[in-house]
Amino acid sequence: MAALWRSYQRLMAQHPWKVQILTAGSLVGVGDVISQQLVERRGLRGHSTRRTLKMMAIGFCFVGPVVGGWYQLLDRLIPGNTRMVALKKMVLDQVGFAPCFLGCFLAIAGALNGLSAEESWAKIRRVRAPPHALSSLFQLWPAVQIANFYFIPLNHRSASPLGSELWEPPTSWGPRARAPARTEHLSCSEAARAQAANSVWTLPG
């Protein structure tokens, strides 16, 4: 395990952008597996590999590049590593970036689900009110992001599991998913905008 971690660190130092994108996509895939197995309880026979691959594609092509690029821009806009700097980054991230990111994420998921632009927009509007995803941005996620900006080096932020696996299981749920009575926060970023089970669609399996 230590050798694997050293190899990962070496690759991160040599190819930070590529490794961040690959890690983000892998974490989104892990989150979907968690959703299907521990939340929806589909079992191995009922697991939708197609859905997991689609979610990983979103992670590789959208989540990794966008989140990684945003964190680099944020470090240039607000340089430093103090607690106050971390707080400022969190505020800008939550107010400026997170709602746009969530809307785009849901729109892409809707497109992969075969929804029209009007249907996707209607669903995005529904997540603005409690207890859905957008209202949850200002509950758990700010504290997670302060820790992310304060403790985690830039190259590891978009690969940090603190959000991805909290975020991914709820956003994999949808009206067709067998969601439990209450949202479960599972495992450990991009991914803590939780409690979207009743408003976010499931990618078709």
Side-chain angles (χ1 to χ4, degrees), residues 16-96:
W17 187 247
K18 295 177 182 178
V19 174
Q20 286 182 50
I21 291 174
L22 290 173
T23 305
S26 300
L27 286 174
V28 172
V30 168
D32 185 70
V33 172
I34 291 173
S35 175
Q36 293 195 50
Q37 297 303 316
L38 299 184
V39 179
E40 301 169 40
R41 302 188 184 281
R42 291 186 171 207
L44 295 179
R45 290 186 177 181
H47 188 92
S48 173
T49 303
R50 182 182 178 188
R51 179 179 125 183
T52 299
L53 291 175
K54 285 185 177 183
M55 297 305 298
M56 289 180 69
I58 295 177
F60 290 135
C61 300
F62 175 70
V63 176
V66 171
V67 173
W70 165 246
Y71 285 160
Q72 290 184 16
L73 175 62
L74 198 56
D75 258 30
R76 289 196 294 269
L77 293 174
I78 310 176
N81 192 35
T82 66
R83 281 176 286 187
M84 183 55 65
V85 165
L87 179 62
K88 290 178 180 178
K89 287 179 179 178
M90 181 276 294
V91 171
L92 186 56
D93 177 75
Q94 293 298 283
V95 174

Side-chain angles (χ1 to χ4, degrees), residues 15-16 24 31-32 52 55 66 76 87 96 124 127 132 146-147 164 189:
H15 309 285
D32 185 70
T52 299
M55 297 305 298
V66 171
R76 289 196 294 269
L87 179 62
I124 290 171
V127 305
H132 301 314
I146 288 176
S164 179
S189 162

Side-chain angles (χ1 to χ4, degrees), residues 44-183:
L44 295 179
R45 290 186 177 181
H47 188 92
S48 173
T49 303
R50 182 182 178 188
R51 179 179 125 183
T52 299
L53 291 175
K54 285 185 177 183
M55 297 305 298
M56 289 180 69
I58 295 177
F60 290 135
C61 300
F62 175 70
V63 176
V66 171
V67 173
W70 165 246
Y71 285 160
Q72 290 184 16
L73 175 62
L74 198 56
D75 258 30
R76 289 196 294 269
L77 293 174
I78 310 176
N81 192 35
T82 66
R83 281 176 286 187
M84 183 55 65
V85 165
L87 179 62
K88 290 178 180 178
K89 287 179 179 178
M90 181 276 294
V91 171
L92 186 56
D93 177 75
Q94 293 298 283
V95 174
F97 174 76
C100 298
F101 174 85
L102 177 60
C104 291
F105 182 93
L106 299 183
I108 293 170
L112 287 177
N113 196 27
L115 298 181
S116 67
E118 292 77 12
E119 290 171 325
S120 292
W121 176 243
K123 285 183 175 289
I124 290 171
R125 291 180 64 185
R126 281 167 50 192
V127 305
R128 294 183 301 176
H132 301 314
L134 190 55
S135 64
S136 299
L137 290 176
F138 302 101
Q139 296 176 15
L140 177 62
W141 196 246
V144 171
Q145 284 298 70
I146 288 176
N148 192 23
F149 293 131
Y150 187 65
F151 293 108
I152 299 177
L154 175 62
N155 284 346
H156 292 276
R157 283 177 194 159
S158 63
S160 169
L162 290 175
S164 179
E165 294 177 53
L166 276 168
W167 147 259
E168 179 54 28
T171 54
S172 291
W173 301 342
R176 289 176 291 166
R178 298 190 298 274
R182 62 180 180 85
T183 299

